[in-house]
DNA sequence: TCTGGGGTCCTAGGACCC
DNA sequence: TCTGGGGTCCTAGGACCC
């Protein structure tokens, strides 16, 4: 499915949200380069960009993988803000190869608006300053309501119906009307467009309140075993993410559904499991997730997607224990720690619960994935002077092949010893 | 005739964001 | 053949408490 496009792809008419098979002719005709998403690579590059930005301004809110707000308050005394940001842009490009655009304004909403023009209009060189800008009203009038940060599809419909079509008109609309129809969120947006800051910059990295892990299957399946594996797999992923932010879950939701784009019989359902004691243990969570699945699974449907969600998150240091808890939590924590350490040092899924599947036939397709150039030794970019030497292994190894090599290798004894070494190194207690 | 005032927690749904 | 994944905030209503 198309989830991001370059300017060139937009130009030849590649639409957002279309499944690839529907746009094959366009792709062929214009030789459009198609890539499966590679979040490891994007995460690493994002981190490099953000680190670069911190050189210029320590007060930074990392808003998403590709956006950040910098608080330049006070910088105007020593710098021309536009020049300063042109320099930021230049440096990010030089250090990371990533082109960025910068919008400058007194509020976040206006900065986002400015950014749109910085990005689109070549003449602005990627930077656009709306502070004391004589053309500010002109730009606001040229911005459709649907392009305002905080105005989505539904509000666009509502506003258009009421004769409000651009950002300027929205900023001038009646407060009571906005409050009534768009709640305080809408009113905050309107205030921000009037240059009154209502959305503060959040420098803290608040921990997540919910963690979801779900995926569409590469192929629909009615096989309960596959679905059970999927549930265990997604639970593993979510639990690892949760442990990284030192949280434990009190609630676990399991959900599954058939393919809504098909004419086949439809079914979707979810169930919320209350955990007796907040936990971050993968094995315990898998147990509950499987119990949840038992409750909602129905035979005879072609399932397309399953997932789990962890909520009611509390800090691991502040969990309420139970007097009647049958589990040995100390032992469980030791196992979990070791599990995470091995996977951190040896690579993801070096050790995993068999419940989460080995071959995972239901795996999502990602046939066109780019290499993890910056985070995997096996996938480093190679540069050759002259002709490329003959090599057995291809540079863009498929994950399956990597796993295959690993497990099929003849020297399994050596492999076992390595594992043993690592385990004793990490935890010298022979009991564990 | 006339029936208070101030809270919490939970769930579901709706809007938005990247 | 084939249609993404992961989040946040706000509101309203029901059930309950003192």
């Amino acid at each position: 499915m198309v989830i991001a496009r370059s300017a060139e792809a937009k130009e030849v008419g590649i639409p957002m949200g279309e499944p690839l098979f529907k746009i094959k002719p366009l792709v062929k005709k214009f030789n459009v380069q198609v890539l499966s998403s590679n979040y490891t690579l994007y995460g690493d590059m994002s981190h490099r960009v953000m680190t670069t930005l911190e050189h210029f301004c320590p007060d930074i809110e990392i808003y998403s993988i590709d956006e950040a707000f910098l608080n330049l308050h006070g910088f105007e005394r020593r710098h021309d803000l536009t020049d300063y940001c042109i320099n930021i842009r230049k440096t990010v490009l030089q250090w990371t190869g990533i082109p960025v655009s910068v919008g400058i304004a007194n509020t976040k909403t206006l900065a986002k608006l400015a950014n749109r023009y910085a990005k689109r209009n070549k003449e602005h060189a990627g930077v656009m300053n709306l502070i004391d800008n004589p053309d500010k009203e002109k730009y606001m009038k040229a911005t459709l309501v649907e392009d305002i940060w905080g105005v989505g599809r539904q509000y666009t419909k509502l506003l258009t119906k009421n004769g409000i079509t651009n950002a300027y008109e929205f900023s001038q609309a009646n407060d009571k009307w906005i409050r009534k129809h768009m709640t305080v969120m809408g009113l905050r947006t309107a205030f921000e467009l009037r240059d009154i800051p209502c959305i503060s910059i959040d420098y803290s990295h608040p921990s997540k309140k919910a963690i979801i892990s779900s995926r569409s299957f590469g192929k629909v399946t009615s096989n309960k075993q596959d679905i059970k594996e999927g549930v265990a797999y997604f639970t593993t992923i979510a639990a690892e993410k949760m442990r990284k932010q030192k949280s434990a879950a009190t609630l676990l939701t399991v959900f599954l559904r058939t393919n809504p784009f098909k004419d086949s019989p439809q079914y979707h359902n979810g169930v919320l499991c209350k955990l007796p004691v907040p936990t971050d243990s993968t094995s315990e969570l898998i147990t509950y997730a499987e119990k949840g699945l038992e409750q909602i699974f129905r035979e005879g449907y072609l399932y397309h997607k399953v997932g789990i969600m962890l909520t009611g998150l509390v800090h691991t240091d502040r969990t309420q224990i139970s007097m009647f808890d049958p589990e040995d939590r100390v032992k469980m924590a030791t196992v979990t720690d070791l599990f995470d350490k091995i996977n951190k040092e040896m690579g993801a899924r070096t050790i995993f619960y068999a419940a989460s599947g080995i071959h995972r036939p239901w795996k999502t397709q990602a046939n066109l994935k780019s290499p993890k150039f910056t985070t995997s030794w096996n996938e480093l970019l190679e540069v050759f002077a002259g002709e490329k030497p003959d090599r057995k292994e291809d540079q863009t190894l498929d994950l399956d092949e990597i796993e295959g090599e690993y497990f099929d290798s003849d020297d399994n004894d050596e492999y076992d010893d390595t594992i043993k070494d690592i385990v004793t190194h990490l935890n010298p207690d022979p009991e564990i």
Side-chain angles (χ1 to χ4, degrees):
Chain A
M1 185 167 172
V2 178
I3 57 159
R5 302 160 298 163
S6 66
E8 294 85 350
K10 285 175 196 169
E11 216 164 278
V12 300
I14 303 281
M16 194 70 167
E18 282 288 280
L20 182 58
F21 74 89
K22 279 193 178 176
I23 54 159
K24 271 267 165 68
L26 266 178
V27 168
K28 276 221 169 104
K29 184 170 170 199
F30 296 103
N31 188 28
V32 179
Q33 301 303 300
V34 179
L35 295 164
S36 308
S37 25
N38 183 340
Y39 297 109
T40 312
L41 176 64
Y42 307 157
D44 182 61
M45 291 314 293
S46 170
H47 183 245
R48 291 170 189 227
V49 170
M50 300 304 173
T51 310
T52 308
L53 294 178
E54 275 167 10
H55 280 267
F56 289 91
C57 174
D59 291 340
I60 174 173
E61 172 186 348
I62 298 170
Y63 177 65
S64 73
I65 197 157
D66 69 344
E67 276 181 279
F69 290 104
L70 309 185
N71 187 354
L72 296 176
H73 191 79
F75 279 59
E76 69 279 359
R77 278 182 284 173
R78 283 173 166 272
H79 305 274
D80 176 276
L81 292 186
T82 309
D83 289 345
Y84 194 68
C85 291
I86 289 174
N87 191 22
I88 292 180
R89 194 191 122 83
K90 229 198 276 175
T91 309
V92 172
L93 187 63
Q94 188 187 347
W95 290 6
T96 67
I98 305 282
V100 295
S101 47
V102 188
I104 310 166
N106 288 320
T107 69
K108 282 172 144 183
T109 307
L110 282 172
K112 292 269 286 183
L113 191 148
N115 185 284
R116 271 174 49 84
Y117 287 98
K119 188 183 200 169
R120 294 138 63 101
N121 298 7
K122 289 251 157 60
E123 52 181 304
H124 296 303
V127 178
M128 160 97 189
N129 190 347
L130 229 43
I131 299 173
D132 300 325
N133 189 324
D135 291 329
K136 184 172 154 195
E137 204 176 298
K138 191 186 90 188
Y139 287 116
M140 287 181 67
K141 282 181 176 164
T143 305
L144 297 176
V145 283
E146 64 195 87
D147 295 322
I148 303 170
W149 187 45
V151 177
R153 279 231 298 275
Q154 298 306 315
Y155 287 154
T156 298
K157 251 194 256 168
L158 176 80
L159 290 170
T160 315
K161 211 175 74 191
N162 285 274
I164 299 167
T165 56
N166 62 52
Y168 180 76
E169 286 168 0
F170 182 55
S171 73
Q172 301 300 306
N174 179 276
D175 286 359
K176 276 197 179 145
W177 186 89
I178 298 175
R179 176 68 180 78
K180 188 176 167 202
H181 292 98
M182 300 171 73
T183 82
V184 292
M185 307 288 280
L187 197 53
R188 281 205 270 260
T189 300
F191 272 60
E192 287 242 319
L193 290 173
R194 296 172 200 164
D195 239 8
I196 304 165
C198 291
I199 305 170
S200 50
I201 303 187
D202 191 357
Y203 307 119
S204 66
H205 298 262
S207 40
K208 302 243 178 301
K209 297 176 174 176
I211 291 169
I212 299 172
S213 178
S214 75
R215 211 81 25 147
S216 302
F217 293 143
K219 229 172 158 183
V220 288
T221 176
S222 55
N223 182 338
K224 193 171 174 186
Q225 185 54 39
D226 284 352
I227 292 162
K228 240 174 123 171
E229 270 182 27
V231 165
Y233 180 78
F234 300 133
T235 305
T236 309
I237 304 275
E240 279 170 9
K241 209 171 182 180
M242 181 170 69
R243 288 197 294 270
K244 258 188 202 155
Q245 66 165 36
K246 295 203 181 336
S247 293
T250 53
L251 301 167
L252 182 153
T253 307
V254 186
F255 52 89
L256 83 173
R257 60 186 258 192
T258 49
N259 189 341
F261 294 97
K262 292 284 180 211
D263 285 335
S264 50
Q266 296 290 313
Y267 172 70
H268 65 100
N269 206 351
V271 61
L272 181 76
C273 311
K274 291 185 182 164
L275 308 173
V277 178
T279 184
D280 65 358
S281 148
T282 299
S283 63
E284 193 180 11
L285 288 165
I286 288 178
T287 310
Y288 284 99
E290 289 185 343
K291 274 186 195 159
L293 179 66
E294 287 295 334
Q295 286 181 42
I296 54 172
F297 182 83
R298 302 281 179 275
E299 291 287 350
Y301 289 100
L302 288 170
Y303 292 102
H304 167 69
K305 181 175 181 170
V306 296
I308 72 118
M309 172 156 73
L310 301 172
T311 45
L313 303 187
V314 292
H315 196 279
T316 34
D317 292 347
R318 292 188 277 282
T319 56
Q320 175 63 54
I321 59 170
S322 162
M323 223 166 156
F324 310 106
D325 188 5
E327 306 287 345
D328 183 343
R329 305 259 155 212
V330 176
K331 205 167 176 180
M332 219 147 83
T334 313
V335 172
T336 308
D337 279 354
L338 200 56
F339 185 97
D340 286 342
K341 271 181 192 162
I342 291 170
N343 282 337
K344 193 178 171 195
E345 291 204 6
M346 300 283 293
R349 271 180 88 76
T350 298
I351 181 168
F352 57 89
Y353 286 89
S356 64
I358 294 167
H359 299 298
R360 292 180 284 135
W362 40 269
K363 240 182 341 195
T364 313
Q365 290 187 45
N367 305 327
L368 305 166
K369 201 156 157 182
S370 51
K372 293 186 225 126
F373 295 116
T374 58
T375 57
S376 167
W377 290 115
N378 299 320
E379 300 173 49
L380 291 185
L381 188 67
E382 286 187 17
V383 180
F384 302 101
E387 231 170 278
K388 184 179 171 180
D390 275 348
R391 299 177 83 248
K392 262 220 283 274
E393 324 90 282
D394 194 77
Q395 209 38 59
T396 57
L397 277 178
D398 182 272
L399 187 67
D400 278 336
E401 291 176 36
I402 295 170
E403 281 179 357
E405 274 187 8
Y406 220 61
F407 290 113
D408 297 341
S409 84
D410 290 327
D411 38 32
N412 260 329
D413 293 341
E414 197 184 351
Y415 177 78
D416 286 347
D417 285 344
T418 317
I419 286 281
K420 224 179 276 164
D421 282 351
I422 286 167
V423 172
T424 39
H425 166 69
L426 291 168
N427 193 328
D429 185 349
E431 287 290 296
I432 295 163

